[in-house]
Amino acid sequence: MATPDNDGVRAVIWADDRLRLLDQRLLPAQTAWIEATTAAKVADAIRDMVVRGAPAIGIAAAYGAVLAARACGPDREALMRELDRLAAARPTAVNLGWAIARQRRLVEESVGDATPALLAEAVAIHEADLSANRRMGELGGALVETGDVLTHCNTGSLATGGYGTALGVIRSAYADGRIGRVYADETRPWLQGSRLTAWELIHDGIPVSLLCEGAAASLLASGRVSWVIVGADRIAANGDVANKIGTYSLAVLARHHDVRFMVVAPTSTIDMATPDGAAIPIEERPEEELLSFAGKAVAAAGASAWNPVFDVTPADLIDAIVTEVGVVEHPGLAGMHELMGQRA
Ligand SMILES: CSC[C@H]1O[C@H](OP(=O)(O)O)[C@H](O)[C@@H]1O
């Protein structure tokens, strides 16, 4: 399986002892970076979707812990409060809580200044994510025989430590000549598909066609698509998957039209403490994100909005969960336990 050298445009950069985040709210029109100088600013950037994507927000928060340790010095209680602030920035992606839990454990175990250990851990989490994505690209890409694919939201370098999860599989499969065209649905209301996924794929020279979510049924009925390939924000112990709103409907459509459905996520996205999808907290964001667009009202005054930004796909609608330690076909509790037992 070929894997391109290019890891994609980075969303999170720690360099010269500074944390910079690509402001994804401005893409594709502008490529602008912000410097996050405190843990509070990192938490704000996660909550406000400056940086988004399950692995990317875990990585950003891990570096945020370093900023907190620098600011809090020997005040352990203050530092723990900052870690709590980071962990609370968004509720669904388990990578955020997982990264902060690792940093919290280091603080509890450290004697004296925890900053060096926290920075080493943040770098390790970042590098492990990129390495996992390249491995998943190989494992998932090998499942794609030929044909076009449909993907949802953005799961590329912008959502991770680089290369991407579902988009990493697509990058690898395309490099190996197994994919002709990528269909990306726009993914309202944040348009991660049209603003971010299309931008990444065009940047890589991979043919991409956008569609509105409502067109997915007709696309899958056309027989052009062999796989629907998506990411995840939290995978429960029984294999149920929380991902961007609209994923569940794609899974139902895929099953109805005999199209295979692949979820790609590092094991840092698997939460064996969450028994099933019903136990996954689903983030609801402000109504305004649906009632307005680019700062202009699109709905009649007085209309309210229901804006859950994730949904849960039952494991029995998933043909394969691809992780860096292996692939679980037709996931269930036993398969997930076996997979997690393979982690080093
Ligand atoms: C690499 S998986 C990223 C995952 O996160 C996205 O959500 P958001 O853009 O709100 O952070 C979406 O669910 C993707 O599948």
Side-chain angles (χ1 to χ4, degrees), residues 49 51-57 90 93 152-156 159-160 164-166 190 192 196 230-233 242-245 247 264-266 269 283 285 309-310:
M49 310 272 280
V51 56
R52 34 64 50 201
I57 63 179
R90 290 183 77 189
H152 188 62
C153 198
N154 171 257
T155 60
T160 65
T165 56
W190 274 84
Q192 291 94 329
L196 306 179
V230 300
D233 289 80
N243 195 52
K244 183 54 51 197
I245 191 77
T247 302
V264 186
T269 305
E283 179 184 6
R285 293 186 66 89
V309 291
F310 296 103

Side-chain angles (χ1 to χ4, degrees), residues 131-184:
S131 170
N133 292 340
R134 289 193 154 279
R135 179 63 181 142
M136 293 190 292
E138 291 170 6
L139 292 174
L143 299 177
V144 178
E145 296 90 8
T146 180
D148 297 341
V149 298
L150 169 63
T151 193
H152 188 62
C153 198
N154 171 257
T155 60
S157 61
L158 295 174
T160 65
Y163 200 67
T165 56
L167 218 56
V169 166
I170 288 169
R171 283 183 158 116
S172 295
Y174 182 80
D176 222 37
R178 296 164 180 255
I179 289 177
R181 172 166 294 276
V182 179
Y183 289 92

Side-chain angles (χ1 to χ4, degrees), residues 25-311:
R25 301 172 300 181
L26 305 179
L27 289 173
Q30 272 184 275
T31 304
W33 297 81
I34 65 167
E35 182 179 353
T37 53
T38 66
K41 287 178 179 171
V42 175
D44 289 347
I46 291 169
R47 189 189 57 249
D48 298 344
M49 310 272 280
V50 168
V51 56
R52 34 64 50 201
I57 63 179
I59 293 163
Y63 287 118
V66 179
L67 299 173
R70 278 188 185 156
C72 296
D75 187 343
R76 283 291 165 93
E77 284 183 20
L79 176 49
M80 289 306 189
R81 284 195 299 272
E82 290 306 303
L83 295 184
D84 291 343
R85 183 202 303 267
L86 286 162
R90 290 183 77 189
T92 303
V94 71
N95 313 61
L96 178 54
W98 169 82
I100 292 300
R102 286 174 66 145
Q103 297 292 52
R104 195 189 305 278
R105 194 160 45 247
L106 279 179
V107 172
E108 290 163 349
E109 293 166 358
S110 68
V111 176
D113 181 9
T115 307
L118 292 171
L119 179 55
E121 181 68 10
V123 171
I125 289 172
H126 196 162
E127 291 175 351
D129 187 70
L130 174 55
S131 170
N133 292 340
R134 289 193 154 279
R135 179 63 181 142
M136 293 190 292
E138 291 170 6
L139 292 174
L143 299 177
V144 178
E145 296 90 8
T146 180
D148 297 341
V149 298
L150 169 63
T151 193
H152 188 62
C153 198
N154 171 257
T155 60
S157 61
L158 295 174
T160 65
Y163 200 67
T165 56
L167 218 56
V169 166
I170 288 169
R171 283 183 158 116
S172 295
Y174 182 80
D176 222 37
R178 296 164 180 255
I179 289 177
R181 172 166 294 276
V182 179
Y183 289 92
D185 58 35
E186 60 182 358
T187 317
R188 274 189 48 75
W190 274 84
L191 303 180
Q192 291 94 329
S194 44
R195 294 188 307 108
L196 306 179
T197 293
W199 186 74
E200 286 202 50
L201 291 174
I202 295 296
H203 185 271
D204 284 11
I206 298 175
V208 54
S209 293
L210 285 168
L211 62 150
C212 65
E213 275 93 304
S218 302
L219 175 65
L220 296 186
S222 74
R224 272 175 273 177
V225 167
S226 58
W227 280 93
V228 176
I229 306 177
V230 300
D233 289 80
R234 188 182 306 223
I235 302 175
N238 71 339
D240 290 348
V241 170
N243 195 52
K244 183 54 51 197
I245 191 77
T247 302
Y248 175 32
S249 44
L250 289 181
V252 171
L253 287 169
R255 184 54 54 88
H256 180 75
H257 291 291
D258 200 22
V259 173
R260 282 166 294 175
F261 195 85
M262 183 193 304
V263 174
V264 186
T267 51
S268 56
T269 305
I270 297 174
D271 180 11
M272 297 305 280
T274 297
D276 55 33
I280 299 176
I282 298 297
E283 179 184 6
E284 287 192 30
R285 293 186 66 89
E287 295 182 75
E288 290 66 39
E289 292 181 2
L290 271 176
L291 299 175
S292 61
F293 182 74
K296 290 186 179 173
V298 292
S304 65
W306 180 55
N307 188 20
V309 291
F310 296 103
D311 59 24

